[in-house]
Amino acid sequence: AQSVAQPEDQVNVAEGNPLTVKCTYSVSGNPYLFWYVQYPNRGLQFLLKYITGDNLVKGSYGFEAEFNKSQTSFHLKKPSALVSDSALYFCAVRDHRGFQKLVFGTGTRLLVSP
Amino acid sequence: GAVVSQHPSRVICKSGTSVKIECRSLDFQATTMFWYRQFPKQSLMLMATSNEGSKATYEQGVEKDKFLINHASLTLSTLTVTSAHPEDSSFYICSARPRQTGATEAFFGQGTRLTVV
C-alpha cells in the first residue's frame, strides 16, 4: 500500500532561516508525490508535485522539494522562511490503484518566529 | 488555478437533524471528487470517493447510510450528514481532480466546520 510518513509533528525556525519539512514515502511503482499547506480553518492549498523529471521541484510561494529515490524522501524546503509560512503542511502520495486517491501524511506544523 | 468551492464554511445544527454540504468545481469538470474528515490537529481521513453518475465508494468504517454522497453532475458533489450527533462534529473537506487526461493534482475546497449541539 502507498504511504507517506512525516516524522516531525512540529518544526520551529526563525524568520529568514532556511526551513526543511521532512517526508518519506513507501510506494509500489513510480511515486506521484505532493505537498499541500493548510491554514487554520481552511482547506488545503497545492504547493508542488513530483511526477517525473528533475528531482528538484519548484512550487508556489518560494517552496521547493527534492525527490530522492535512494532515500525514498521528498523533503519540502525554502531558503528563507517567512512568518506567514507558519501553517500545517501535508505530504501526500497518489495511489495508482482504483480512483487514485491521495494518501496523506500526519502533517507537520511549521512555526516561523519573527 | 482550478477552484473548488465548498459551502457552507460553517454550520451549527441540532442533534438529530441533517446537514448538506456542497462541493463545486468552478472552472473545471471533475469525474471524481473526494470527501475527507479532519479531526483537530490530525491528518485528513478519506471518507468516500464520489463518482458522477454512480454510487460513491466508501472507506472501511464509514457508514454509508449516515454520510450520503450524491455526485449529481461533473461539477457538483454533496455530502449529507444524516441524523447528526455531537460526535459528527468535525471539519469536512472535499477535493476534486480535473477530468482531463494527464491531470495529476487534486484541488481542495475551503472546508466546512460542522458543529452538532
Side-chain angles (χ1 to χ4, degrees):
Chain A
Q2 323 283 61
S3 67
V4 290
Q6 293 181 246
E8 304 154 316
D9 289 337
Q10 184 165 308
V11 170
N12 297 305
V13 65
E15 187 174 32
N17 284 357
L19 70 87
T20 298
V21 183
K22 295 180 181 178
C23 173
T24 58
Y25 65 89
S26 175
V27 303
S28 55
N30 295 321
Y32 283 19
L33 296 161
F34 304 82
W35 275 102
Y36 286 85
V37 60
Q38 184 181 33
Y39 294 97
N41 293 309
R42 299 298 299 274
L44 275 65
Q45 295 180 29
F46 169 76
L47 281 179
L48 51 78
K49 65 182 177 183
Y50 173 83
I51 305 300
T52 186
D54 290 341
N55 289 342
L56 185 63
V57 178
K58 293 190 181 295
S60 306
Y61 313 119
F63 284 94
E64 57 189 30
E66 185 169 10
F67 172 70
N68 188 317
K69 189 173 183 178
S70 62
Q71 297 185 5
T72 62
S73 67
F74 189 56
H75 300 332
L76 181 69
K77 300 183 180 187
K78 187 172 183 180
S80 178
L82 299 172
V83 173
S84 57
D85 292 330
S86 298
L88 190 56
Y89 290 81
F90 289 100
C91 181
V93 63
R94 182 166 154 179
D95 193 333
H96 293 308
R97 304 165 300 170
F99 299 112
Q100 302 180 351
K101 64 186 180 187
L102 286 178
V103 177
F104 286 89
T106 49
T108 298
R109 186 163 302 280
L110 173 67
L111 286 178
V112 182
S113 55
Chain B
V3 178
V4 175
S5 175
Q6 191 173 336
H7 178 80
S9 57
R10 289 178 179 272
V11 58
I12 300 173
C13 70
K14 291 185 178 180
S15 188
T17 61
S18 295
V19 174
K20 180 185 285 189
I21 302 170
E22 290 188 349
C23 180
R24 293 180 184 273
S25 55
L26 296 187
D27 49 3
F28 66 94
Q29 292 182 330
T31 311
T32 304
M33 291 185 176
F34 303 89
W35 287 96
Y36 295 86
R37 183 173 179 176
Q38 186 180 29
F39 291 99
K41 299 184 179 180
Q42 293 191 27
S43 188
L44 283 74
M45 181 191 79
L46 181 65
M47 299 175 64
T49 303
S50 165
N51 291 288
E52 188 265 339
S54 64
K55 291 183 179 180
T57 301
Y58 290 82
E59 296 297 301
Q60 193 170 10
V62 177
E63 299 177 60
K64 63 175 87 174
D65 294 331
K66 181 165 187 63
F67 298 100
L68 300 179
I69 291 172
N70 185 359
H71 198 142
S73 74
L74 288 172
T75 59
L76 173 64
S77 175
T78 60
L79 168 67
T80 302
V81 183
T82 63
S83 187
H85 290 285
E87 56 264 32
D88 298 325
S89 299
S90 191
F91 194 57
Y92 294 86
I93 306 175
C94 72
S95 77
R97 187 164 59 232
R99 69 182 297 206
Q100 60 259 37
T101 302
T104 51
E105 68 266 30
F107 298 93
F108 286 77
Q110 310 95 309
T112 297
R113 172 74 58 193
L114 170 64
T115 304
V116 184
V117 298

